[in-house]
Amino acid sequence: MPAVNHPDYREELDRCNYTLKYVEKCLESTLAKKSRVDSELEWTMKHFSSDNSQHYIDIMVNSLLSETMDVRLRNLAAARSKPYFARIDFLEKGKDSAEKLYIGKMSLIREEDQKLIIVDWRAPVANLYYEGRLGDASYECPDGTIEGTLQLKRQFTIDKGELNEIFDIDITTNDEFLQSCLGANADNRLKEIVTTIQAEQNAVIRADMWRPLIVQGAAGSGKTTIALHRIAYLVYNHEKSFVPENFMIIAPNRLFLDYISDVLPELGVENVRQTTFEEFAQDLIGKRFRLRDANEKLQAFVDYTKSTEEREYLSLVRRTSEFKASMDFKETLDVYLKEIEENFIPREDFTFCSITIYKYEDLYDLFVNQYRMWPIARRLDEMKKNLKTRLRAKKQEIVNQLYMDCDKRIAFLKLTVPEGEERRRLVTEAIDERDRDIANIEREANDAVSAYIRKISRLSPFDYYRDLFADEAMFMKYVGGRLDADTCRFVRSYTAGMLGSGWLEIEDLAPIIYIKFIIYGIDEKIPVRHVVIDEAQDFSAFQVYVLKKIIKDSSFTILGDLNQGIHSYRGIRDWDELTGIVFSDRKHVFLTLEQSYRTTVEIMDAANMVISKIRGHKISKARPVIRHGEEVRIIPAAGKKEITDGVIKDLDEFRRLSYKSVAIICKTLRECREAHAALSRHIDGITLITGKEDEYRAGIAVVPSYLAKGLEFDAVIVFNADSAEYTEDELDIKLLYVAMTRALHRLYIYHTGELTPLLEP
């Protein structure tokens, strides 16, 4: 309700004004402190002396202080507009009075008496706001379970320092407040949602960090936003053990990373690594590859204009991707790598001066069995130590024998040759011969181990991978019965040809990382301790397995929606692939986000009808929040020209409605280029998204269906949903579902010819 109509308006207004004044006071004092710290840092840098260790310490301490103050200043600046968003009154068991706690995006403590003015939303007690009900309640904190009575839950709308609305509630958010938030228009960036986090979302955010968390989230359930809030929560609650650099989020592409880039800074978290799997993989491998665009392959799969022969070829390409992304391929690599291991060292004894120092059988046992805890190539360092130790002992035996032989020879000369010049000459020759032999032995000994190691061929991870596909008979042996013979031959020839031309596909990156890990280990120090994978349905189990292997002692948050698995030919089709295989050695947590907060009931009902057309898989339908809007418009058109004319009128309508973002979604990039060219002749400022962009901009965009995933728009126009474009193929169903579920308020669907059967009840 309007704040002035609430019975506690005067009390809350006074509290709001007091908090704002204290925020201003803290802002001024923090600015003054930062100025002093920056001045000291500048002075130290100017007068820095490498001989003065205190200068190193001062620079490190003041740099850290300056960065911390930068974050605090940003938080305080934001709090000037909206210091908090909720209040809870909690009477702890055993105490006489309830504590009034105001919850915001940062904590603020009064310096003079350490009284909490604002409680950070991530603090344990704030969980009462998100999940507690009025009456008996409790929350978990480091001291254990705190029990008591929750007497009040209150929400505020504060904007630019003005107290506008007050709501008293029981559940997390009341309908009026939530509807207001969900009814807002979409912008060019994803926004934080700390004020409206729901109970099922809160469970994801606050789940145990050290148990793998897998989340099946419906379209519009807030998966990405929740993932980022989880990082902020974990950074806050584990700040003594971890820094933001220990967290990494892996997203589908650079465009998506730009779209989500503002959320963590808005939550007061900086320096979290945000990357794509392709970038992370190439950094690990230590080489930049020419990567084929995965979306081009997807476009080929859904292009129904191709001939029968082309479709058959693409079917084999698809099967190739499926195999190389599978754990079956990991097992194929294990067979190949085992053979590399068994043939890594020379099949010969290690000899010195015609003396056997190590028999091959003993070297093999040492290398394959006793050193098996090391990566294959790293075992050579241990082998060198062992060979040198035994060689040193054997060399000393030989040298000692030479001394003994020389002494005997001299003694014999003394007995058989009269004293004089001849005997002295012979004794000198004996000693010189001994010394020459010893010098030769030393030289040979110094090079013996290195000469042995030089016989061992070591290739780059890429070269090992390429060699896997070099010989058809050997490849079929490694694959075993995991593929039929014809498919096996195609996988080998297709991949060998591609690698030979200098290109890779995304499915090749995880195997190359795996080869590097098994043979060389990962030399780079990876500071990451917690990995968040968004849009995980388009990752393969093999990719996740590799990440788990190389990032030691790491934990995972994995979020996705199988209904949106448009890259399912190389992605996860069932979460059991993770829970039953990749994380079978760990207790995991599996949670679902069924509620969709993005779209209206009408749009979600239509999208659910489409996704229910998938056969043979269990479908998890999204449950829309009770927010009604206009019915989905299905508009027939005589041709592309008529669609273009209709879209132009629609855009005028959306402009009058003050919509900030509109997507015209075509199935393929080719169709997008045609639509963009036609529309641009009439309307300025229409953006074409091709997947090559590093920056996402709001406004009017023409987007291929497969690039729309993860984004949201005020209104969506599906450019052409006829029966030729969207068939009853599973991939077509998912692409149309993705396109429809991007819309917040309006969804218009055009079609030429016969409407796709996917939109028929």
Side-chain angles (χ1 to χ4, degrees):
M1 68 171 68
V4 293
N5 296 338
H6 195 279
D8 293 340
Y9 171 66
R10 180 50 55 187
E11 174 193 349
E12 295 297 0
L13 181 63
D14 290 344
R15 173 64 190 230
C16 182
N17 289 334
Y18 169 77
T19 304
L20 288 169
K21 286 178 183 177
Y22 200 82
V23 166
E24 207 65 39
K25 177 183 174 182
C26 289
L27 194 57
E28 291 174 6
S29 65
T30 305
L31 279 169
K33 288 177 185 176
K34 186 173 189 303
S35 178
R36 288 196 299 273
V37 168
D38 287 348
S39 296
E40 290 176 13
L41 183 59
E42 185 180 355
W43 185 93
T44 308
M45 296 288 284
K46 188 181 293 184
H47 298 86
F48 176 76
S49 170
S50 58
D51 296 328
N52 190 332
S53 61
Q54 187 60 43
H55 283 176
Y56 282 109
I57 297 170
D58 289 345
I59 289 172
M60 290 177 63
V61 170
N62 285 328
S63 296
L64 185 60
L65 278 172
S66 182
E67 289 177 9
T68 302
M69 288 179 183
D70 281 338
V71 174
R72 182 166 175 78
L73 285 171
R74 281 194 292 273
N75 288 339
L76 287 167
R80 296 167 95 180
S81 174
K82 186 176 183 177
Y84 50 81
F85 55 84
R87 165 185 162 184
I88 55 173
D89 291 1
F90 183 65
L91 176 61
E92 188 177 333
K93 186 178 289 186
K95 293 191 175 181
D96 297 328
S97 59
E99 189 173 12
K100 298 177 182 178
L101 300 169
Y102 287 80
I103 302 170
K105 290 200 294 182
M106 60 171 286
S107 62
L108 190 62
I109 301 174
R110 194 159 60 198
E111 291 184 3
E112 48 267 36
D113 58 4
Q114 297 299 295
K115 180 176 175 59
L116 271 170
I117 296 175
I118 304 174
V119 175
D120 193 294
W121 68 276
R122 297 166 290 186
V125 69
N127 202 40
L128 290 170
Y129 166 69
Y130 293 113
E131 294 192 7
R133 301 295 298 265
L134 297 183
D136 293 341
S138 64
Y139 66 93
E140 301 294 329
C141 72
D143 294 332
T145 303
I146 307 299
E147 297 181 339
T149 304
L150 185 59
Q151 298 179 339
L152 177 74
K153 286 176 70 173
R154 181 170 287 172
Q155 286 176 324
F156 306 99
T157 301
I158 303 174
D159 187 38
K160 297 180 181 177
E162 296 289 328
L163 178 60
N164 296 324
E165 294 177 306
I166 302 174
F167 300 96
D168 287 338
I169 59 172
D170 187 5
I171 57 174
T172 307
T173 52
N174 66 15
D175 284 344
E176 186 179 352
F177 187 79
L178 183 59
Q179 294 285 355
S180 173
C181 293
L182 297 179
N185 291 336
D187 211 333
N188 67 322
R189 294 288 185 276
L190 200 62
K191 302 297 183 186
E192 52 84 8
I193 57 165
V194 292
T195 59
T196 59
I197 294 170
Q198 301 298 289
E200 66 172 9
Q201 297 173 324
N202 191 53
V204 173
I205 292 170
R206 296 174 187 255
D208 183 354
M209 175 177 177
W210 293 112
R211 294 176 65 184
L213 174 63
I214 299 160
V215 180
Q216 162 60 39
S221 60
K223 294 183 294 299
T224 301
T225 317
I226 294 308
L228 297 168
H229 284 65
R230 174 162 169 77
I231 291 175
Y233 170 80
L234 294 174
V235 168
Y236 176 85
N237 282 275
H238 296 273
E239 62 179 349
K240 292 182 180 178
S241 304
F242 304 105
V243 293
E245 290 85 350
N246 295 142
F247 295 82
M248 176 172 71
I249 181 164
I250 303 179
N253 51 57
R254 273 278 143 204
L255 182 70
F256 190 75
L257 286 172
D258 182 70
Y259 178 62
I260 67 175
S261 60
D262 287 346
V263 177
L264 286 172
E266 284 178 8
L267 296 171
V269 178
E270 304 279 352
N271 301 324
V272 169
R273 182 170 184 177
Q274 301 182 45
T275 187
T276 64
F277 184 81
E278 293 93 322
E279 290 175 357
F280 184 61
Q282 293 186 90
D283 287 345
L284 278 175
I285 297 166
K287 181 178 179 180
R288 311 311 290 183
F289 296 105
R290 290 193 298 168
L291 283 174
R292 286 183 173 172
D293 186 349
N295 292 318
E296 290 180 5
K297 183 184 288 187
L298 182 65
Q299 288 182 77
F301 291 159
V302 297
D303 185 354
Y304 299 118
T305 65
K306 295 185 180 295
S307 66
T308 302
E309 292 77 10
E310 288 174 315
R311 300 300 301 170
E312 289 174 353
Y313 174 80
L314 286 171
S315 177
L316 286 168
V317 171
R318 184 169 183 160
R319 183 71 186 96
T320 298
S321 293
E322 288 175 353
F323 179 65
K324 291 196 295 186
S326 71
M327 294 301 285
D328 277 347
F329 189 49
K330 178 259 176 191
E331 292 178 7
T332 297
L333 285 171
D334 285 338
V335 176
Y336 172 58
L337 289 166
K338 183 64 178 173
E339 185 166 295
I340 289 174
E341 177 190 44
E342 292 181 345
N343 294 284
F344 204 75
I345 61 173
R347 290 181 174 271
E348 60 185 52
D349 298 339
F350 176 60
T351 61
F352 171 68
C353 294
S354 302
I355 299 170
T356 298
I357 307 296
Y358 255 118
K359 292 188 70 62
Y360 167 72
E361 291 76 15
D362 296 329
L363 288 169
Y364 176 87
D365 180 66
L366 199 67
F367 187 81
V368 173
N369 297 320
Q370 296 185 44
Y371 293 154
R372 64 181 179 275
M373 74 290 295
W374 297 94
I376 293 172
R378 286 190 184 176
R379 299 176 199 177
L380 296 180
D381 293 333
E382 299 302 312
M383 290 254 324
K384 281 182 186 178
K385 296 175 188 176
N386 213 308
L387 293 175
K388 285 179 179 179
T389 299
R390 187 171 287 196
L391 178 62
R392 193 179 302 117
K394 182 58 69 175
K395 182 191 73 174
Q396 195 58 49
E397 285 180 26
I398 296 171
V399 169
N400 290 343
Q401 188 63 49
L402 286 171
Y403 272 106
M404 289 173 61
D405 291 346
C406 184
D407 289 345
K408 288 178 181 178
R409 185 176 174 186
I410 291 170
F412 179 76
L413 289 170
K414 287 180 179 180
L415 289 173
T416 58
V417 180
E419 185 177 354
E421 188 63 32
E422 178 66 12
R423 190 169 79 179
R424 283 193 295 273
R425 183 181 65 77
L426 292 172
V427 168
T428 301
E429 285 180 357
I431 292 172
D432 288 345
E433 185 179 343
R434 178 201 68 193
D435 291 344
R436 282 195 303 273
D437 289 344
I438 290 173
N440 289 334
I441 287 168
E442 290 289 353
R443 278 195 300 273
E444 189 173 338
N446 288 337
D447 190 54
V449 174
S450 297
Y452 177 82
I453 297 298
R454 282 197 297 271
K455 295 176 182 177
I456 299 171
S457 173
R458 281 174 283 185
L459 306 177
S460 71
F462 172 79
D463 287 335
Y464 277 119
Y465 186 63
R466 184 177 57 192
D467 285 355
L468 169 65
F469 301 94
D471 182 90
E472 183 176 291
M474 293 302 294
F475 181 71
M476 294 184 78
K477 185 187 82 169
Y478 300 137
V479 171
R482 299 178 185 91
L483 290 174
D484 64 80
D486 289 341
T487 305
C488 188
R489 291 189 188 94
F490 182 87
V491 170
R492 190 208 69 81
S493 62
Y494 173 85
T495 308
M498 182 188 58
L499 298 177
S501 66
W503 287 90
L504 268 73
E505 296 176 323
I506 188 172
E507 301 94 291
D508 298 304
L509 293 175
I512 294 174
I513 295 173
Y514 187 63
I515 288 172
K516 179 175 182 180
F517 175 75
I518 296 298
I519 295 180
Y520 294 102
I522 301 296
D523 296 325
E524 301 83 357
K525 185 175 181 182
I526 304 174
V528 176
R529 300 295 303 280
H530 189 82
V531 181
V532 175
I533 302 176
D534 196 18
E535 300 290 349
Q537 74 280 351
D538 290 335
F539 278 66
S540 68
F542 192 8
Q543 284 176 289
V544 180
Y545 176 83
V546 165
L547 290 171
K548 176 172 169 277
K549 281 290 246 186
I550 64 173
I551 304 176
K552 296 294 185 184
D553 303 318
S554 57
S555 56
F556 286 81
T557 297
I558 296 170
L559 309 97
D561 179 14
L562 297 180
N563 290 346
Q564 299 182 65
I566 59 175
H567 294 283
S568 59
Y569 58 90
R570 59 170 171 83
I572 295 166
R573 299 179 67 87
D574 192 313
W575 296 120
D576 286 346
E577 293 178 44
L578 296 185
T579 59
I581 301 174
V582 178
F583 295 113
S584 60
D585 59 334
R586 300 188 194 179
K587 288 185 176 180
H588 66 273
V589 177
F590 183 85
L591 296 175
T592 58
L593 296 171
E594 297 179 346
Q595 195 82 49
S596 176
Y597 302 96
R598 178 185 296 141
T599 62
T600 62
V601 172
E602 290 75 14
I603 293 172
M604 201 69 246
D605 284 348
N608 278 336
M609 179 184 69
V610 169
I611 201 66
S612 66
K613 301 292 174 70
I614 290 181
R615 302 286 181 251
H617 296 290
K618 185 179 179 182
I619 299 302
S620 176
K621 292 184 181 179
R623 293 187 292 106
V625 161
I626 305 302
R627 180 171 72 90
H628 285 280
E630 198 180 81
E631 290 290 338
V632 175
R633 291 191 197 174
I634 297 178
I635 308 164
K640 296 288 181 69
K641 173 68 168 59
E642 190 172 321
I643 292 178
T644 301
D645 293 341
V647 170
I648 292 169
K649 292 178 183 177
D650 298 335
L651 294 176
D652 285 338
E653 176 189 357
F654 298 152
R655 195 176 295 110
R656 289 193 296 273
L657 292 168
S658 299
Y659 286 170
K660 296 179 181 179
S661 61
V662 178
I664 297 110
I665 300 181
C666 306
K667 185 180 177 185
T668 65
L669 181 58
R670 186 191 68 249
E671 189 181 28
C672 281
R673 294 188 193 279
E674 294 171 359
H676 180 259
L679 291 167
S680 295
R681 286 194 284 268
H682 304 279
I683 299 175
D684 294 331
I686 296 182
T687 302
L688 172 65
I689 295 179
T690 66
K692 307 294 185 184
E693 298 81 7
D694 289 332
E695 183 180 352
Y696 174 75
R697 298 177 182 176
I700 304 170
V702 182
V703 194
S705 54
Y706 49 84
L707 288 178
K709 188 157 52 65
L711 305 178
E712 59 182 33
F713 306 88
D714 291 323
V716 165
I717 299 171
V718 176
F719 194 76
N720 185 16
D722 67 20
S723 57
E725 283 288 314
Y726 292 97
T727 69
E728 294 181 275
D729 179 79
E730 181 179 322
L731 182 52
D732 283 354
I733 294 171
K734 290 179 176 179
L735 287 171
L736 184 57
Y737 178 77
V738 166
M740 294 172 69
T741 54
R742 301 308 97 198
L744 273 72
H745 309 303
R746 299 284 180 93
L747 174 61
Y748 296 173
I749 301 175
Y750 284 86
H751 67 96
T752 60
E754 186 180 354
L755 178 67
T756 172
L758 303 180
L759 288 168
E760 295 175 354

